[in-house]
Amino acid sequence: GDSVTQMEGPVTLSEEAFLTINCTYTATGYPSLFWYVQYPGEGLQLLLKATKADDKGSNKGFEATYRKETTSFHLEKGSVQVSDSAVYFCALSDPGGYGNKLVFGAGTILRVKS
Amino acid sequence: DAGVIQSPRHEVTEMGQEVTLRCKPISGHDYLFWYRQTMMRGLELLIYFNNNVPIDDSGMPEDRFSAKMPNASFSTLKIQPSEPRDSAVYFCASSLYASGANVLTFGAGSRLTVL
């Protein structure tokens, strides 16, 4: 079945460091890809998305490019802030499924130190 | 819109008791999802509805779990009887298919502790 694999955390960085969180996927067909973020005590919220190969999603300084040839959607940010500390989830839409069903990765905890 | 509203935010109960979690989706959204989050298993999709009709309940762990959506503005997830292994954060999410690309809006979650 469809699945998403993320790098294990926690990832601990100093403020202004470069961030990469790896995400690879397995899917039949052509899924849409997403990054969701969960701040402490809150629900998940959409960070960015890409709907087809070579698309780049971006938001709040975060970017991810849909790479069909490597089945990857790595999340990057050039300079992290303490306020970016959260859990980041990579997800794909189920292209063979019905409607809006999403499959999530396990999540990667990011801790940014000042 | 106030977003997806879940209640209660926290519930502590004893094993064997019935638990009911509630969700009010965003007005106009036509999909509603129930997810469970634990440290061991991450985010698991339990069930989802389209236009109030259950589409896929294959993630519901056991017959002790049931979910209903009597109308477009309300859904419940019920556990009866509850067990300690049901302790988790339960999220409700909703989406509008016409908006494209499966953008889910999540509620703040209901943290369930079964003693």
Side-chain angles (χ1 to χ4, degrees):
Chain A
D2 300 334
S3 65
V4 175
T5 303
Q6 293 181 232
M7 63 187 287
E8 285 194 26
V11 173
T12 303
L13 297 172
S14 297
E15 211 165 17
E16 300 184 3
F18 185 86
L19 167 71
T20 300
I21 300 178
N22 290 339
C23 170
T24 57
Y25 68 90
T26 302
T28 54
Y30 304 97
S32 295
L33 301 173
F34 307 82
W35 279 100
Y36 278 78
V37 59
Q38 183 180 25
Y39 298 103
E42 299 182 11
L44 282 72
Q45 53 187 275
L46 179 68
L47 181 60
L48 53 84
K49 66 180 189 284
T51 57
K52 61 183 187 296
D54 299 325
D55 268 3
K56 177 186 284 188
S58 61
N59 186 26
K60 300 181 182 179
F62 291 89
E63 293 183 341
T65 301
Y66 189 152
R67 301 287 188 199
K68 187 170 182 296
E69 63 276 11
T70 55
T71 62
S72 65
F73 192 56
H74 304 322
L75 182 67
E76 296 181 337
K77 187 176 185 183
S79 176
V80 294
Q81 305 300 312
V82 172
S83 56
D84 294 326
S85 298
V87 184
Y88 292 81
F89 292 88
C90 186
L92 64 79
S93 65
D94 180 357
Y98 185 101
N100 289 358
K101 182 178 172 181
L102 286 181
V103 175
F104 285 91
T108 302
I109 297 172
L110 170 64
R111 298 181 179 136
V112 181
K113 303 180 299 185
S114 59
Chain B
D1 200 316
V4 176
I5 299 172
Q6 292 187 245
S7 65
R9 290 295 311 274
H10 302 274
E11 173 99 5
V12 179
T13 191
E14 293 191 346
M15 184 173 63
Q17 296 298 305
E18 178 179 293
V19 173
T20 299
L21 307 178
R22 299 172 178 80
C23 175
K24 177 177 166 46
I26 290 177
S27 177
H29 278 191
D30 50 3
Y31 279 83
L32 184 139
F33 304 81
W34 283 101
Y35 283 88
R36 177 171 69 176
Q37 185 178 40
T38 61
M39 289 294 293
M40 291 298 295
R41 292 192 296 270
L43 267 171
E44 303 172 277
L45 177 63
L46 301 177
I47 185 171
Y48 72 101
F49 297 82
N50 175 222
N51 292 324
N52 315 338
V53 176
I55 302 301
D56 184 353
D57 65 355
S58 60
M60 296 285 262
E62 302 171 29
D63 290 347
R64 299 185 295 106
F65 285 69
S66 62
K68 294 182 179 179
M69 192 165 185
N71 57 62
S73 58
F74 184 66
S75 177
T76 59
L77 178 68
K78 187 173 293 187
I79 308 172
Q80 166 64 19
S82 59
E83 296 182 3
R85 60 194 167 121
D86 301 331
S87 297
V89 181
Y90 291 81
F91 288 103
C92 177
S94 69
S95 69
L96 177 63
Y97 186 69
S99 70
N102 307 25
V103 177
L104 273 62
T105 301
F106 281 77
S110 295
R111 180 176 294 277
L112 172 65
T113 303
V114 183
L115 303 175

